[in-house]
Amino acid sequence: HTHIDHFIGFDSILRLHLRREGPLRLYGPEGFIDCVQGKLGGYTWNLISEYPLVIEVSEIHGKSVMKAIFRTEDAFMRKDLGESLFDGILLRDSFITVSGVVVDHQIPSLAFSIEEDYHINIDKSKLSEMKLSVGPWLGELKTAIRENRRDSIFMINGNRFAFSELKEIAYITRGQKISYVVDMLGSEDNLNRIAGLVKDSDVLYIETYFSDEDKERARDRYHLTAREAGRIAREAGVGRLEVFHFSPRYAGAPRALSVEAKEEFERGGSP
């Protein structure tokens, strides 16, 4: 969202990431870089030069993306990195692909989907047969499988294990897809954009801010109704619908919004 504090504490992000290696990547719609710069500009960064934190910010403008970088060694002074074409992909690495689309919330708002290339599962029965306890080494094993590092050695409860000894406890299935949609008008253009983004998601997290009875209010506030959220999920063929972000006017009966959305989601036929 353009307002970066809307969904997560920006200060908390910085505190959690200050001592970690690798860049912190932030993505948003038009005006997002200025928002990040303004937030960083509210502090005096005189004692952080020894920290390795780098913040990479990407801002979506239609079919282009602008990028800027902020480094602790420069006291978070902004450095613009130019503009490039945007094909809908925000981030792609050996683990996941993150996609996004800009929708209308009277201001630009960004919706996301995160999709694994494939999913590595752990066979708990084989884990038990080998008398191995769960721990951080399982994450290391998954990374070694993804990167095909067959010479990896793992320390488990003080014992050394080769990659070849452990690889059979893992098996690969289709990658999962999770989508997140919040703050958008229920216009046909927005609905079509989001349906394409979240298509075939295993889980869709989506706002149901108003009841369909308050559809005019939803239009005025540039939010979805529960029925519109259910329609998106149904037309996109998602596996599970998870609704949230309810208007305070339903504080006494939020379940009604969930029921309305899921009834539309499970309804057959066309809208």
Side-chain angles (χ1 to χ4, degrees):
H1 195 284
T2 299
H3 303 295
I4 54 180
D5 280 340
H6 182 81
F7 59 94
I8 192 167
F10 186 69
D11 303 344
S12 299
I13 294 176
L14 290 181
R15 284 195 295 270
L16 287 171
H17 210 86
L18 266 176
R19 295 181 180 274
R20 297 183 182 180
E21 295 183 0
L24 169 62
R25 297 185 177 95
L26 303 178
Y27 301 88
E30 185 175 349
F32 190 62
I33 294 175
D34 287 341
C35 286
V36 174
Q37 182 180 13
K39 190 71 175 179
L40 292 170
Y43 299 83
T44 301
W45 302 102
N46 59 313
L47 298 174
I48 62 165
S49 59
E50 72 274 16
Y51 292 111
L53 177 59
V54 174
I55 303 176
E56 295 179 359
V57 186
S58 298
E59 176 179 309
I60 312 306
H61 285 258
K63 294 184 178 180
S64 65
V65 54
M66 295 175 58
K67 294 187 177 182
I69 195 167
F70 302 84
R71 293 186 175 92
T72 50
E73 63 186 59
D74 300 323
F76 288 132
M77 292 294 292
R78 172 176 172 172
K79 180 181 178 182
D80 291 315
L81 300 180
E83 190 172 346
S84 59
L85 291 176
F86 176 59
D87 61 358
I89 304 298
L90 297 171
L91 173 68
R92 179 183 281 122
D93 62 19
S94 59
F95 292 88
I96 58 171
T97 298
V98 182
S99 303
V101 297
V102 177
V103 291
D104 181 17
H105 182 52
Q106 197 173 37
I107 58 174
S109 182
L110 196 60
F112 301 89
S113 74
I114 304 173
E115 187 170 9
E116 295 177 303
D117 292 342
Y118 52 87
H119 192 70
I120 301 175
N121 306 269
I122 300 299
D123 188 325
K124 293 182 180 179
S125 63
K126 290 185 178 179
L127 201 65
S128 178
E129 288 173 10
M130 296 179 68
K131 295 182 172 55
L132 297 174
S133 60
V134 299
W137 68 272
L138 285 171
E140 296 168 3
L141 175 62
K142 290 180 179 181
T143 300
I145 291 171
R146 286 187 178 276
E147 298 178 357
N148 199 29
R149 291 193 277 106
R150 298 178 178 274
D151 58 346
S152 298
I153 299 295
F154 304 88
M155 294 299 299
I156 308 172
N157 297 331
N159 298 312
R160 289 167 57 90
F161 290 86
F163 178 88
S164 58
E165 296 177 275
L166 299 174
K167 66 177 183 178
E168 296 304 322
I169 70 170
Y171 61 96
I172 293 174
T173 57
R174 179 187 68 85
Q176 295 180 322
K177 180 178 180 179
I178 298 175
S179 297
Y180 175 92
V181 179
V182 66
D183 292 344
M184 59 171 273
L185 172 69
S187 65
E188 285 301 312
D189 183 52
N190 276 350
L191 295 178
N192 290 334
R193 285 171 181 259
I194 292 300
L197 175 73
V198 309
K199 184 174 176 57
D200 297 329
S201 295
D202 293 275
V203 186
L204 168 62
Y205 294 91
I206 189 168
E207 73 164 35
T208 51
Y209 204 76
F210 287 102
S211 167
D212 201 61
E213 293 180 354
D214 296 318
K215 195 169 185 175
E216 292 306 313
R217 181 68 169 169
R219 293 287 181 271
D220 292 340
R221 293 291 185 174
Y222 282 74
H223 276 292
L224 288 176
T225 68
R227 192 169 299 282
E228 288 166 341
R231 171 188 164 185
I232 290 171
R234 175 168 50 82
E235 292 183 349
V238 307
R240 190 172 92 233
L241 173 64
E242 293 290 343
V243 298
F244 70 111
H245 195 31
F246 310 134
S247 167
R249 68 168 47 199
Y250 308 101
R255 187 173 180 276
L257 293 174
S258 301
V259 170
E260 184 177 309
K262 292 187 178 181
E263 283 179 349
E264 181 66 24
F265 173 43
E266 294 168 359
R267 185 172 69 85
S270 56

